[in-house]
Amino acid sequence: LVGETVLDVGGATGVYTVGLAQHGYKVTWFDHSEQALEYARILCKKYAVDAEFELGDAHELQFESESFDNVWAGEILEHVFEPEKVVAEVVRVAKKRAIFSTPVGEHHMDPLHINNWNDENIQTLFREYNASIEKIAEGETEPSCFFIIVDKP
């Protein structure tokens, strides 16, 4: 909702940061890459949106528990060495909900994608969080993305 805080974990180029800010959220961009940070700052300036910027490791988020109303972790679980730790950290810093997306199956031989997600291992990853997990398809193709929501009590 407008005015709520959002942490954009794995913010990369800042595309989601810009979109969320344009919809009235108070966004904090977060990533490990200094190069991505510079690009995200440029993109936010181009679209005249305000955001906070933080560098760090998604495996050990430097924020207090429940620091953000919502946390968006889009397209990062395929890139991290310990997805269990990242999920736990994202859920920990979310006050209301944590939202994830990640590709289904093989990743077109992308060397930056070290995890391949399927129905079984995505369910296992989110088992303890009572998550809502949906497969999203683009058009009439096979599902290409898992969309996962963890609502906190």
Side-chain angles (χ1 to χ4, degrees), residues 32-146:
H32 68 94
S33 168
E34 289 186 27
Q35 183 179 8
L37 170 62
E38 292 308 312
Y39 192 89
R41 283 188 171 159
I42 291 167
L43 194 65
C44 286
K45 184 176 180 180
K46 176 181 178 178
Y47 287 96
V49 299
D50 289 326
E52 299 292 321
F53 299 91
E54 296 280 342
L55 285 171
D57 183 352
H59 294 87
E60 295 179 31
L61 295 172
Q62 64 257 37
F63 308 104
E64 298 285 325
S65 295
E66 299 187 345
S67 295
F68 299 89
D69 294 314
N70 306 287
V71 181
W72 165 248
E75 307 299 313
I76 67 164
L77 296 177
E78 65 274 19
H79 298 287
V80 297
F81 291 107
E82 297 178 85
E84 299 83 1
K85 282 183 83 171
V86 171
V87 169
E89 282 293 282
V90 166
V91 171
R92 179 185 67 77
V93 301
K95 188 182 305 179
K96 294 182 176 184
R97 76 192 53 81
I99 304 169
F100 302 81
S101 69
T102 194
V104 173
E106 296 295 320
H107 305 114
H108 312 292
M109 307 302 247
D110 186 332
L112 298 176
H113 291 195
I114 59 175
N115 297 306
N116 294 313
W117 299 105
N118 58 46
D119 290 327
E120 184 179 334
N121 63 12
I122 204 77
Q123 292 287 342
T124 299
L125 181 61
F126 285 94
R127 176 180 41 233
E128 70 184 85
Y129 300 103
N130 194 29
S132 167
I133 301 173
E134 299 288 333
K135 276 187 180 176
I136 308 297
E138 297 175 16
E140 295 186 26
T141 64
E142 290 291 315
S144 59
C145 177
F146 285 108

